Amino acid sequence: VLTGTVKSVSRGPPQEPGWAVVSVLSLYKSGGLGVPQPTKGATLRLQLPCRLCPALKKGSSYVLMGRLGGDGGAVLPPDAFVVPYRPQQQQVLGNLSKRPCRGTP
């Protein structure tokens, strides 16, 4: 789960995935994924397998929950959790990131 501002979106040709470049505001619960904590303002490149969704607008900030692809890159599939980011969510997301996972691997 990360919060970030979309810097650019390229949808690409119909048979190839598109890409979104996101400036990271914060990254949550990434320890289990082996993804290093990027500094605020660092950019991440997210693969967009679908040309139409999720609908991302350049300059807008979002809460994004995707997954890692086979090559270790970030993927934002059509069914990914994507909602507009509001600064009031920072405290809630911070509290959730501190909770230990109660599930079994």
Side-chain angles (χ1 to χ4, degrees):
V1 176
L2 71 93
T3 55
T5 303
V6 177
K7 294 296 178 189
S8 67
V9 178
S10 64
R11 295 295 177 174
Q15 302 302 324
E16 295 186 25
W19 296 91
V21 176
V22 176
S23 176
V24 175
L25 296 173
S26 199
L27 188 62
Y28 307 92
K29 290 277 195 181
S30 64
L33 298 174
V35 177
Q37 180 74 23
T39 59
K40 185 176 180 176
T43 58
L44 275 177
R45 190 171 182 216
L46 306 171
Q47 183 181 9
L48 305 172
C50 176
R51 293 180 50 78
L52 301 175
C53 52
L56 300 174
K57 182 179 174 186
K58 182 179 174 183
S60 296
S61 296
Y62 297 95
V63 176
L64 307 161
M65 186 184 320
R67 62 175 178 235
L68 290 178
D71 63 353
V75 179
L76 206 57
D79 60 348
F81 180 81
V82 177
V83 296
Y85 171 71
R86 305 283 181 259
Q88 300 89 335
Q89 297 165 328
Q90 183 69 32
Q91 182 178 2
V92 172
L93 291 168
N95 290 340
L96 287 174
S97 71
K98 293 176 188 172
R99 287 186 181 175
C101 179
R102 290 185 259 171
T104 55

